[in-house]
mmCIF file of all heavy atoms in Angstrom:
data_model
loop_
_atom_site.group_PDB
_atom_site.id
_atom_site.type_symbol
_atom_site.label_atom_id
_atom_site.label_comp_id
_atom_site.label_asym_id
_atom_site.label_seq_id
_atom_site.Cartn_x
_atom_site.Cartn_y
_atom_site.Cartn_z
ATOM 1 N N ALA A 19 -41.422 18.982 -51.831
ATOM 2 C CA ALA A 19 -40.896 20.294 -52.219
ATOM 3 C C ALA A 19 -40.721 21.189 -51.002
ATOM 4 O O ALA A 19 -39.718 21.907 -50.882
ATOM 5 C CB ALA A 19 -41.836 20.945 -53.239
ATOM 6 N N VAL A 20 -41.689 21.144 -50.085
ATOM 7 C CA VAL A 20 -41.602 21.951 -48.864
ATOM 8 C C VAL A 20 -40.416 21.502 -48.017
ATOM 9 O O VAL A 20 -39.656 22.321 -47.484
ATOM 10 C CB VAL A 20 -42.917 21.844 -48.060
ATOM 11 C CG1 VAL A 20 -42.753 22.490 -46.680
ATOM 12 C CG2 VAL A 20 -44.058 22.512 -48.811
ATOM 13 N N ALA A 21 -40.254 20.174 -47.889
ATOM 14 C CA ALA A 21 -39.144 19.637 -47.093
ATOM 15 C C ALA A 21 -37.802 20.029 -47.702
ATOM 16 O O ALA A 21 -36.854 20.381 -46.986
ATOM 17 C CB ALA A 21 -39.270 18.121 -46.995
ATOM 18 N N SER A 22 -37.713 19.969 -49.038
ATOM 19 C CA SER A 22 -36.468 20.337 -49.713
ATOM 20 C C SER A 22 -36.146 21.812 -49.517
ATOM 21 O O SER A 22 -34.985 22.181 -49.264
ATOM 22 C CB SER A 22 -36.585 20.019 -51.211
ATOM 23 O OG SER A 22 -35.443 20.452 -51.907
ATOM 24 N N LYS A 23 -37.168 22.655 -49.596
ATOM 25 C CA LYS A 23 -36.976 24.088 -49.414
ATOM 26 C C LYS A 23 -36.531 24.402 -47.989
ATOM 27 O O LYS A 23 -35.664 25.244 -47.767
ATOM 28 C CB LYS A 23 -38.276 24.828 -49.744
ATOM 29 C CG LYS A 23 -38.138 26.340 -49.755
ATOM 30 C CD LYS A 23 -39.415 26.998 -50.220
ATOM 31 C CE LYS A 23 -39.271 28.519 -50.255
ATOM 32 N NZ LYS A 23 -40.520 29.177 -50.714
ATOM 33 N N LYS A 24 -37.120 23.714 -47.018
ATOM 34 C CA LYS A 24 -36.750 23.916 -45.614
ATOM 35 C C LYS A 24 -35.299 23.496 -45.372
ATOM 36 O O LYS A 24 -34.538 24.190 -44.697
ATOM 37 C CB LYS A 24 -37.678 23.126 -44.700
ATOM 38 C CG LYS A 24 -37.383 23.285 -43.212
ATOM 39 C CD LYS A 24 -38.334 22.474 -42.376
ATOM 40 C CE LYS A 24 -38.059 22.686 -40.895
ATOM 41 N NZ LYS A 24 -36.677 22.273 -40.533
ATOM 42 N N ALA A 25 -34.903 22.338 -45.948
ATOM 43 C CA ALA A 25 -33.540 21.847 -45.771
ATOM 44 C C ALA A 25 -32.532 22.824 -46.378
ATOM 45 O O ALA A 25 -31.467 23.079 -45.801
ATOM 46 C CB ALA A 25 -33.397 20.472 -46.408
ATOM 47 N N GLU A 26 -32.890 23.380 -47.542
ATOM 48 C CA GLU A 26 -32.008 24.347 -48.193
ATOM 49 C C GLU A 26 -31.862 25.610 -47.355
ATOM 50 O O GLU A 26 -30.759 26.165 -47.220
ATOM 51 C CB GLU A 26 -32.568 24.688 -49.575
ATOM 52 C CG GLU A 26 -31.676 25.611 -50.385
ATOM 53 C CD GLU A 26 -32.245 25.915 -51.757
ATOM 54 O OE1 GLU A 26 -33.195 25.210 -52.153
ATOM 55 O OE2 GLU A 26 -31.754 26.838 -52.414
ATOM 56 N N ALA A 27 -32.980 26.069 -46.764
ATOM 57 C CA ALA A 27 -32.930 27.257 -45.905
ATOM 58 C C ALA A 27 -32.107 26.994 -44.653
ATOM 59 O O ALA A 27 -31.363 27.870 -44.181
ATOM 60 C CB ALA A 27 -34.352 27.674 -45.527
ATOM 61 N N ASP A 28 -32.225 25.784 -44.111
ATOM 62 C CA ASP A 28 -31.434 25.428 -42.928
ATOM 63 C C ASP A 28 -29.944 25.439 -43.256
ATOM 64 O O ASP A 28 -29.121 25.921 -42.464
ATOM 65 C CB ASP A 28 -31.848 24.046 -42.413
ATOM 66 C CG ASP A 28 -33.208 24.056 -41.735
ATOM 67 O OD1 ASP A 28 -33.683 25.149 -41.361
ATOM 68 O OD2 ASP A 28 -33.813 22.976 -41.598
ATOM 69 N N ARG A 29 -29.569 24.885 -44.402
ATOM 70 C CA ARG A 29 -28.154 24.846 -44.796
ATOM 71 C C ARG A 29 -27.607 26.258 -44.986
ATOM 72 O O ARG A 29 -26.487 26.571 -44.557
ATOM 73 C CB ARG A 29 -27.994 24.050 -46.100
ATOM 74 C CG ARG A 29 -28.112 22.547 -45.932
ATOM 75 C CD ARG A 29 -27.614 21.815 -47.174
ATOM 76 N NE ARG A 29 -28.393 22.134 -48.351
ATOM 77 C CZ ARG A 29 -29.488 21.463 -48.725
ATOM 78 N NH1 ARG A 29 -29.912 20.429 -48.000
ATOM 79 N NH2 ARG A 29 -30.143 21.804 -49.810
ATOM 80 N N PHE A 30 -28.418 27.120 -45.615
ATOM 81 C CA PHE A 30 -27.981 28.496 -45.840
ATOM 82 C C PHE A 30 -27.769 29.220 -44.510
ATOM 83 O O PHE A 30 -26.767 29.922 -44.332
ATOM 84 C CB PHE A 30 -29.004 29.242 -46.689
ATOM 85 C CG PHE A 30 -28.638 30.666 -46.978
ATOM 86 C CD1 PHE A 30 -27.694 30.962 -47.941
ATOM 87 C CD2 PHE A 30 -29.214 31.710 -46.273
ATOM 88 C CE1 PHE A 30 -27.330 32.284 -48.205
ATOM 89 C CE2 PHE A 30 -28.863 33.019 -46.525
ATOM 90 C CZ PHE A 30 -27.914 33.312 -47.500
ATOM 91 N N ALA A 31 -28.711 29.051 -43.583
ATOM 92 C CA ALA A 31 -28.585 29.702 -42.274
ATOM 93 C C ALA A 31 -27.341 29.218 -41.541
ATOM 94 O O ALA A 31 -26.631 30.013 -40.897
ATOM 95 C CB ALA A 31 -29.833 29.425 -41.439
ATOM 96 N N ALA A 32 -27.051 27.913 -41.641
ATOM 97 C CA ALA A 32 -25.873 27.360 -40.978
ATOM 98 C C ALA A 32 -24.582 27.934 -41.564
ATOM 99 O O ALA A 32 -23.589 28.133 -40.849
ATOM 100 C CB ALA A 32 -25.881 25.837 -41.103
ATOM 101 N N GLN A 33 -24.583 28.205 -42.862
ATOM 102 C CA GLN A 33 -23.404 28.756 -43.511
ATOM 103 C C GLN A 33 -23.180 30.233 -43.159
ATOM 104 O O GLN A 33 -22.037 30.688 -43.008
ATOM 105 C CB GLN A 33 -23.535 28.609 -45.033
ATOM 106 C CG GLN A 33 -23.490 27.172 -45.528
ATOM 107 C CD GLN A 33 -23.856 27.043 -46.992
ATOM 108 O OE1 GLN A 33 -24.238 28.024 -47.632
ATOM 109 N NE2 GLN A 33 -23.749 25.833 -47.533
ATOM 110 N N VAL A 34 -24.273 30.979 -43.040
ATOM 111 C CA VAL A 34 -24.172 32.422 -42.798
ATOM 112 C C VAL A 34 -23.968 32.737 -41.322
ATOM 113 O O VAL A 34 -23.343 33.759 -40.976
ATOM 114 C CB VAL A 34 -25.427 33.142 -43.333
ATOM 115 C CG1 VAL A 34 -25.393 34.631 -43.013
ATOM 116 C CG2 VAL A 34 -25.552 32.942 -44.835
ATOM 117 N N LYS A 35 -24.444 31.874 -40.429
ATOM 118 C CA LYS A 35 -24.360 32.165 -38.990
ATOM 119 C C LYS A 35 -22.927 32.458 -38.522
ATOM 120 O O LYS A 35 -22.720 33.432 -37.765
ATOM 121 C CB LYS A 35 -24.943 30.989 -38.196
ATOM 122 C CG LYS A 35 -24.956 31.240 -36.674
ATOM 123 C CD LYS A 35 -25.851 32.423 -36.337
ATOM 124 C CE LYS A 35 -25.754 32.790 -34.852
ATOM 125 N NZ LYS A 35 -26.221 31.722 -33.983
ATOM 126 N N PRO A 36 -21.899 31.711 -38.927
ATOM 127 C CA PRO A 36 -20.527 32.035 -38.487
ATOM 128 C C PRO A 36 -20.065 33.419 -38.958
ATOM 129 O O PRO A 36 -19.336 34.114 -38.247
ATOM 130 C CB PRO A 36 -19.681 30.927 -39.130
ATOM 131 C CG PRO A 36 -20.624 29.804 -39.333
ATOM 132 C CD PRO A 36 -21.927 30.440 -39.676
ATOM 133 N N VAL A 37 -20.521 33.822 -40.167
ATOM 134 C CA VAL A 37 -20.159 35.147 -40.678
ATOM 135 C C VAL A 37 -20.792 36.229 -39.810
ATOM 136 O O VAL A 37 -20.159 37.248 -39.472
ATOM 137 C CB VAL A 37 -20.594 35.301 -42.151
ATOM 138 C CG1 VAL A 37 -20.175 36.671 -42.681
ATOM 139 C CG2 VAL A 37 -20.010 34.191 -42.998
ATOM 140 N N ILE A 38 -22.052 36.008 -39.436
ATOM 141 C CA ILE A 38 -22.741 36.966 -38.568
ATOM 142 C C ILE A 38 -22.037 37.043 -37.217
ATOM 143 O O ILE A 38 -21.877 38.132 -36.634
ATOM 144 C CB ILE A 38 -24.218 36.567 -38.388
ATOM 145 C CG1 ILE A 38 -24.960 36.696 -39.735
ATOM 146 C CG2 ILE A 38 -24.892 37.428 -37.321
ATOM 147 C CD1 ILE A 38 -26.407 36.253 -39.691
ATOM 148 N N ALA A 39 -21.596 35.898 -36.702
ATOM 149 C CA ALA A 39 -20.876 35.878 -35.420
ATOM 150 C C ALA A 39 -19.596 36.697 -35.505
ATOM 151 O O ALA A 39 -19.236 37.435 -34.560
ATOM 152 C CB ALA A 39 -20.573 34.430 -35.030
ATOM 153 N N GLN A 40 -18.887 36.595 -36.645
ATOM 154 C CA GLN A 40 -17.660 37.384 -36.822
ATOM 155 C C GLN A 40 -17.966 38.879 -36.844
ATOM 156 O O GLN A 40 -17.227 39.698 -36.281
ATOM 157 C CB GLN A 40 -16.978 36.970 -38.128
ATOM 158 C CG GLN A 40 -16.386 35.565 -38.128
ATOM 159 C CD GLN A 40 -15.843 35.184 -39.487
ATOM 160 O OE1 GLN A 40 -15.866 35.988 -40.431
ATOM 161 N NE2 GLN A 40 -15.366 33.943 -39.609
ATOM 162 N N ILE A 41 -19.066 39.226 -37.527
ATOM 163 C CA ILE A 41 -19.448 40.643 -37.616
ATOM 164 C C ILE A 41 -19.807 41.177 -36.236
ATOM 165 O O ILE A 41 -19.452 42.308 -35.870
ATOM 166 C CB ILE A 41 -20.618 40.811 -38.602
ATOM 167 C CG1 ILE A 41 -20.158 40.468 -40.032
ATOM 168 C CG2 ILE A 41 -21.186 42.230 -38.550
ATOM 169 C CD1 ILE A 41 -21.276 40.416 -41.047
ATOM 170 N N ARG A 42 -20.506 40.405 -35.446
ATOM 171 C CA ARG A 42 -20.847 40.814 -34.084
ATOM 172 C C ARG A 42 -19.577 40.982 -33.255
ATOM 173 O O ARG A 42 -19.440 41.934 -32.472
ATOM 174 C CB ARG A 42 -21.776 39.784 -33.427
ATOM 175 C CG ARG A 42 -23.221 39.850 -33.907
ATOM 176 C CD ARG A 42 -24.114 38.974 -33.055
ATOM 177 N NE ARG A 42 -25.498 38.986 -33.497
ATOM 178 C CZ ARG A 42 -26.384 39.931 -33.163
ATOM 179 N NH1 ARG A 42 -26.000 40.950 -32.405
ATOM 180 N NH2 ARG A 42 -27.629 39.863 -33.595
ATOM 181 N N ALA A 43 -18.651 40.043 -33.437
ATOM 182 C CA ALA A 43 -17.396 40.109 -32.672
ATOM 183 C C ALA A 43 -16.582 41.347 -33.046
ATOM 184 O O ALA A 43 -15.812 41.874 -32.217
ATOM 185 C CB ALA A 43 -16.575 38.843 -32.921
ATOM 186 N N ALA A 44 -16.807 41.831 -34.304
ATOM 187 C CA ALA A 44 -16.077 43.018 -34.748
ATOM 188 C C ALA A 44 -16.692 44.307 -34.226
ATOM 189 O O ALA A 44 -16.144 45.396 -34.450
ATOM 190 C CB ALA A 44 -16.011 43.045 -36.264
ATOM 191 N N GLY A 45 -17.830 44.207 -33.527
ATOM 192 C CA GLY A 45 -18.403 45.397 -32.906
ATOM 193 C C GLY A 45 -19.799 45.776 -33.358
ATOM 194 O O GLY A 45 -20.399 46.719 -32.811
ATOM 195 N N ALA A 46 -20.371 45.082 -34.340
ATOM 196 C CA ALA A 46 -21.731 45.394 -34.789
ATOM 197 C C ALA A 46 -22.727 44.966 -33.711
ATOM 198 O O ALA A 46 -22.641 43.866 -33.173
ATOM 199 C CB ALA A 46 -22.036 44.690 -36.097
ATOM 200 N N THR A 47 -23.662 45.851 -33.377
ATOM 201 C CA THR A 47 -24.615 45.543 -32.307
ATOM 202 C C THR A 47 -26.063 45.448 -32.784
ATOM 203 O O THR A 47 -26.878 44.771 -32.150
ATOM 204 C CB THR A 47 -24.534 46.626 -31.210
ATOM 205 O OG1 THR A 47 -24.791 47.913 -31.800
ATOM 206 C CG2 THR A 47 -23.168 46.634 -30.550
ATOM 207 N N SER A 48 -26.388 46.095 -33.900
ATOM 208 C CA SER A 48 -27.776 46.071 -34.377
ATOM 209 C C SER A 48 -27.905 45.189 -35.621
ATOM 210 O O SER A 48 -26.920 44.944 -36.332
ATOM 211 C CB SER A 48 -28.259 47.483 -34.709
ATOM 212 O OG SER A 48 -27.619 47.970 -35.886
ATOM 213 N N LEU A 49 -29.112 44.740 -35.846
ATOM 214 C CA LEU A 49 -29.378 43.922 -37.025
ATOM 215 C C LEU A 49 -29.121 44.699 -38.318
ATOM 216 O O LEU A 49 -28.664 44.140 -39.313
ATOM 217 C CB LEU A 49 -30.830 43.423 -37.001
ATOM 218 C CG LEU A 49 -31.195 42.464 -35.856
ATOM 219 C CD1 LEU A 49 -32.695 42.178 -35.859
ATOM 220 C CD2 LEU A 49 -30.407 41.167 -35.983
ATOM 221 N N ARG A 50 -29.402 45.986 -38.288
ATOM 222 C CA ARG A 50 -29.178 46.806 -39.475
ATOM 223 C C ARG A 50 -27.687 46.921 -39.788
ATOM 224 O O ARG A 50 -27.286 46.855 -40.959
ATOM 225 C CB ARG A 50 -29.776 48.194 -39.243
ATOM 226 C CG ARG A 50 -29.789 49.082 -40.476
ATOM 227 C CD ARG A 50 -30.609 50.322 -40.250
ATOM 228 N NE ARG A 50 -32.011 49.984 -40.011
ATOM 229 C CZ ARG A 50 -32.922 50.898 -39.683
ATOM 230 N NH1 ARG A 50 -32.581 52.173 -39.533
ATOM 231 N NH2 ARG A 50 -34.178 50.530 -39.489
ATOM 232 N N GLU A 51 -26.876 47.051 -38.742
ATOM 233 C CA GLU A 51 -25.430 47.111 -38.948
ATOM 234 C C GLU A 51 -24.906 45.788 -39.514
ATOM 235 O O GLU A 51 -24.039 45.773 -40.392
ATOM 236 C CB GLU A 51 -24.723 47.415 -37.619
ATOM 237 C CG GLU A 51 -24.904 48.844 -37.139
ATOM 238 C CD GLU A 51 -24.287 49.071 -35.775
ATOM 239 O OE1 GLU A 51 -24.174 48.100 -34.989
ATOM 240 O OE2 GLU A 51 -23.920 50.220 -35.489
ATOM 241 N N ILE A 52 -25.444 44.685 -39.009
ATOM 242 C CA ILE A 52 -25.033 43.370 -39.502
ATOM 243 C C ILE A 52 -25.423 43.217 -40.976
ATOM 244 O O ILE A 52 -24.650 42.683 -41.787
ATOM 245 C CB ILE A 52 -25.671 42.248 -38.661
ATOM 246 C CG1 ILE A 52 -25.138 42.300 -37.229
ATOM 247 C CG2 ILE A 52 -25.394 40.882 -39.278
ATOM 248 C CD1 ILE A 52 -25.851 41.361 -36.272
ATOM 249 N N ALA A 53 -26.610 43.698 -41.332
ATOM 250 C CA ALA A 53 -27.057 43.624 -42.721
ATOM 251 C C ALA A 53 -26.119 44.394 -43.634
ATOM 252 O O ALA A 53 -25.728 43.912 -44.710
ATOM 253 C CB ALA A 53 -28.483 44.160 -42.842
ATOM 254 N N ARG A 54 -25.708 45.600 -43.216
ATOM 255 C CA ARG A 54 -24.787 46.396 -44.027
ATOM 256 C C ARG A 54 -23.425 45.712 -44.145
ATOM 257 O O ARG A 54 -22.798 45.727 -45.205
ATOM 258 C CB ARG A 54 -24.634 47.790 -43.421
ATOM 259 C CG ARG A 54 -25.840 48.702 -43.633
ATOM 260 C CD ARG A 54 -25.467 50.162 -43.421
ATOM 261 N NE ARG A 54 -25.104 50.407 -42.017
ATOM 262 C CZ ARG A 54 -25.941 50.849 -41.092
ATOM 263 N NH1 ARG A 54 -27.222 51.087 -41.406
ATOM 264 N NH2 ARG A 54 -25.540 51.063 -39.851
ATOM 265 N N ALA A 55 -22.985 45.104 -43.043
ATOM 266 C CA ALA A 55 -21.690 44.422 -43.064
ATOM 267 C C ALA A 55 -21.711 43.203 -43.983
ATOM 268 O O ALA A 55 -20.729 42.926 -44.693
ATOM 269 C CB ALA A 55 -21.308 44.005 -41.642
ATOM 270 N N LEU A 56 -22.812 42.464 -43.996
ATOM 271 C CA LEU A 56 -22.936 41.315 -44.894
ATOM 272 C C LEU A 56 -22.872 41.766 -46.352
ATOM 273 O O LEU A 56 -22.210 41.127 -47.188
ATOM 274 C CB LEU A 56 -24.240 40.576 -44.623
ATOM 275 C CG LEU A 56 -24.290 39.723 -43.351
ATOM 276 C CD1 LEU A 56 -25.715 39.287 -43.060
ATOM 277 C CD2 LEU A 56 -23.375 38.507 -43.479
ATOM 278 N N ASP A 57 -23.569 42.857 -46.664
ATOM 279 C CA ASP A 57 -23.537 43.386 -48.031
ATOM 280 C C ASP A 57 -22.120 43.827 -48.401
ATOM 281 O O ASP A 57 -21.658 43.589 -49.526
ATOM 282 C CB ASP A 57 -24.494 44.579 -48.159
ATOM 283 C CG ASP A 57 -25.960 44.163 -48.116
ATOM 284 O OD1 ASP A 57 -26.246 43.000 -48.446
ATOM 285 O OD2 ASP A 57 -26.807 45.013 -47.767
ATOM 286 N N ALA A 58 -21.430 44.473 -47.437
ATOM 287 C CA ALA A 58 -20.071 44.953 -47.704
ATOM 288 C C ALA A 58 -19.109 43.788 -47.959
ATOM 289 O O ALA A 58 -18.155 43.922 -48.735
ATOM 290 C CB ALA A 58 -19.569 45.784 -46.520
ATOM 291 N N ARG A 59 -19.356 42.658 -47.343
ATOM 292 C CA ARG A 59 -18.502 41.484 -47.532
ATOM 293 C C ARG A 59 -18.871 40.688 -48.791
ATOM 294 O O ARG A 59 -18.233 39.692 -49.116
ATOM 295 C CB ARG A 59 -18.603 40.555 -46.328
ATOM 296 C CG ARG A 59 -18.018 41.157 -45.044
ATOM 297 C CD ARG A 59 -17.962 40.120 -43.964
ATOM 298 N NE ARG A 59 -17.422 40.672 -42.711
ATOM 299 C CZ ARG A 59 -16.886 39.936 -41.745
ATOM 300 N NH1 ARG A 59 -16.810 38.613 -41.885
ATOM 301 N NH2 ARG A 59 -16.420 40.497 -40.638
ATOM 302 N N GLY A 60 -19.906 41.122 -49.478
ATOM 303 C CA GLY A 60 -20.311 40.433 -50.690
ATOM 304 C C GLY A 60 -21.156 39.198 -50.446
ATOM 305 O O GLY A 60 -21.367 38.389 -51.357
ATOM 306 N N VAL A 61 -21.667 39.058 -49.213
ATOM 307 C CA VAL A 61 -22.543 37.929 -48.895
ATOM 308 C C VAL A 61 -23.963 38.286 -49.336
ATOM 309 O O VAL A 61 -24.482 39.331 -48.944
ATOM 310 C CB VAL A 61 -22.505 37.606 -47.388
ATOM 311 C CG1 VAL A 61 -23.445 36.433 -47.090
ATOM 312 C CG2 VAL A 61 -21.088 37.297 -46.942
ATOM 313 N N ARG A 62 -24.560 37.448 -50.123
ATOM 314 C CA ARG A 62 -25.905 37.705 -50.604
ATOM 315 C C ARG A 62 -26.922 36.851 -49.854
ATOM 316 O O ARG A 62 -26.576 35.835 -49.242
ATOM 317 C CB ARG A 62 -26.005 37.415 -52.113
ATOM 318 C CG ARG A 62 -25.226 38.409 -52.955
ATOM 319 C CD ARG A 62 -25.904 39.779 -52.894
ATOM 320 N NE ARG A 62 -25.180 40.776 -53.658
ATOM 321 C CZ ARG A 62 -24.416 41.719 -53.127
ATOM 322 N NH1 ARG A 62 -24.268 41.770 -51.810
ATOM 323 N NH2 ARG A 62 -23.818 42.608 -53.881
ATOM 324 N N THR A 63 -28.168 37.280 -49.888
ATOM 325 C CA THR A 63 -29.237 36.502 -49.265
ATOM 326 C C THR A 63 -29.448 35.214 -50.059
ATOM 327 O O THR A 63 -28.846 35.023 -51.129
ATOM 328 C CB THR A 63 -30.549 37.295 -49.236
ATOM 329 O OG1 THR A 63 -30.974 37.524 -50.592
ATOM 330 C CG2 THR A 63 -30.365 38.622 -48.530
#
């Protein structure tokens, strides 16, 4: 169960990382700004 949960978290992080990179490229510099941008794009945790 622990291994499955870790694998799922890894897959989720891999999927979200490119979106975060795009947000940074658009000018976001702080983690809080990135969090707001993810919410605005409809990306959920």
Side-chain angles (χ1 to χ4, degrees):
V20 171
S22 176
K23 187 174 181 180
K24 181 180 182 300
E26 184 179 347
D28 287 342
R29 285 194 298 271
F30 180 77
Q33 292 170 355
V34 176
K35 183 63 186 297
V37 182
I38 294 177
Q40 291 175 2
I41 294 172
R42 284 190 181 277
T47 57
S48 71
L49 295 173
R50 188 170 297 175
E51 288 175 333
I52 295 172
R54 286 198 294 265
L56 285 168
D57 289 336
R59 293 189 181 201
V61 179
R62 291 291 179 256
T63 64

